[in-house]
Every structure is written in C-alpha cells, then in structure tokens.
Amino acid sequence: MNLLIADDEAVIRRGLIFFHLLFPILVMSIGITDVYSVANGVEAKELLLSTSIDLIIFDIRMPGFSGLELAQMVKERSMDVAVVLLSGFSEFEYARSAMRYGVYEYLLKPVSPNELMETMHNVMHRLEQKRFEQKLLSQKDEFGEKHDAVSQVNSLFV
C-alpha cells in the first residue's frame, strides 16, 4: 500500500518521512510499502491522479489546494483512498467539513509518533475492511440473490 504525505511545512514532511525511515518494520507491518511526499496541494492532486495511493496525510492548509479541497475531490471522484487531515487548527468548522468529505481522521499538530502510528494502523484496518465489504457486495451482484453471505465469504478464500 502506498502513503502520500502532503504538507507545505518542510519540517513536518521530513518528520513524517523520518518516522517512516526510522521505524520501517512498524510501517511495513501495517502494509505501507511506498511513501510519497509533496510540498503543496497542486503536487498532491497531480500525484493522486497519476499514482495508486491508499493512504493520504494532508495538511489542512497548503498552497494550491487545501487538504479539505483535496478531500472533497477524493470524495467526489469516489477514489478508493483513506484521507487523514493534519492541522494546527482545532476549529470545529474544519472538523465538520472533514467529516462531510469522508475523512478518516483529523489529527492536531504536533502529532506524536505513537499517535501517528496508531492512527495509520487504525485507518489502514478500516480501509481494508471497507474494501473487503465492497468485494462482498460486488460478488453478491455477480452471483445474484441465490447465494447467501456465508457462501460468498467462503468463495473468497478458495
């Protein structure tokens, strides 16, 4: 799975990348294999539209496009990606907008390594669960109403 970090603050980006480099076994244990890093919303949008990304950590305020605008784009395009917003602002309106756009988590800066790791683990688990449920639904459509849920689950493991 691929992670995209988009933050205009170089210190934050380096910190998140350093975390990945410092604890590669922990990061790989939650399924992250590749990490991309960009400095603004324009670069983030370009990468999102050209590369398969599974998890995004967006800064809420960036040049070009804000994290909220990018989260809105992800939702409108029904992209199969989990969005985490990172913000130095605890304003309720940001959190409400984030919920409207289907953001998985809203973290306040500064974020501790433990909080980041726990959040990434939980978000990846929720994304995998969502993908599994979508697979079940698509198989239900494929097999029709005659098959029950148990046979559908069993067919996934054959």
Side-chain angles (χ1 to χ4, degrees), residues 96-132:
R96 184 165 55 177
S97 294
M99 290 182 345
R100 188 177 318 122
Y101 300 137
V103 169
Y104 279 57
E105 291 289 336
Y106 187 95
L107 297 174
L108 292 177
K109 295 177 186 178
V111 61
S112 72
N114 287 339
E115 182 182 14
L116 179 63
M117 191 64 201
E118 184 178 329
T119 297
M120 289 172 44
H121 175 76
N122 291 339
V123 167
M124 293 304 291
H125 177 73
R126 287 170 51 200
L127 180 62
E128 288 173 355
Q129 185 176 8
K130 176 184 161 194
R131 288 175 174 172
F132 180 75

Side-chain angles (χ1 to χ4, degrees), residues 26-38:
L26 290 175
V27 173
M28 288 180 68
S29 74
I30 61 172
I32 296 189
T33 55
D34 294 312
V35 178
Y36 301 90
S37 173
V38 296

Side-chain angles (χ1 to χ4, degrees), residues 36-47:
Y36 301 90
S37 173
V38 296
N40 60 58
V42 173
E43 292 175 353
K45 182 178 180 182
E46 289 172 4
L47 194 62

Side-chain angles (χ1 to χ4, degrees), residues 12-143:
I12 300 293
R13 265 193 335 276
R14 280 194 301 267
L16 292 171
I17 292 168
F18 182 71
F19 176 81
H20 171 261
L21 296 174
L22 190 60
F23 303 106
I25 294 173
L26 290 175
V27 173
M28 288 180 68
S29 74
I30 61 172
I32 296 189
T33 55
D34 294 312
V35 178
Y36 301 90
S37 173
V38 296
N40 60 58
V42 173
E43 292 175 353
K45 182 178 180 182
E46 289 172 4
L47 194 62
L48 267 174
L49 296 176
S50 66
T51 306
S52 175
I53 301 292
D54 301 290
L55 172 61
I56 306 165
I57 300 176
F58 284 142
D59 184 12
I60 202 157
R61 288 191 184 171
M62 293 182 290
F65 295 99
S66 72
L68 283 174
E69 290 170 319
L70 292 167
Q72 181 180 8
M73 180 197 79
V74 165
K75 182 172 177 71
E76 288 173 352
R77 293 177 182 234
S78 300
M79 298 174 82
D80 185 26
V81 61
V83 177
V84 174
L85 283 178
L86 190 60
S87 176
F89 308 96
S90 61
E91 296 174 27
F92 177 71
E93 189 55 39
Y94 284 141
R96 184 165 55 177
S97 294
M99 290 182 345
R100 188 177 318 122
Y101 300 137
V103 169
Y104 279 57
E105 291 289 336
Y106 187 95
L107 297 174
L108 292 177
K109 295 177 186 178
V111 61
S112 72
N114 287 339
E115 182 182 14
L116 179 63
M117 191 64 201
E118 184 178 329
T119 297
M120 289 172 44
H121 175 76
N122 291 339
V123 167
M124 293 304 291
H125 177 73
R126 287 170 51 200
L127 180 62
E128 288 173 355
Q129 185 176 8
K130 176 184 161 194
R131 288 175 174 172
F132 180 75
E133 290 168 1
Q134 288 173 337
K135 189 172 184 175
L136 282 178
L137 289 174
S138 69
Q139 286 204 348
K140 179 181 178 190
D141 292 342
E142 182 181 320
F143 291 124

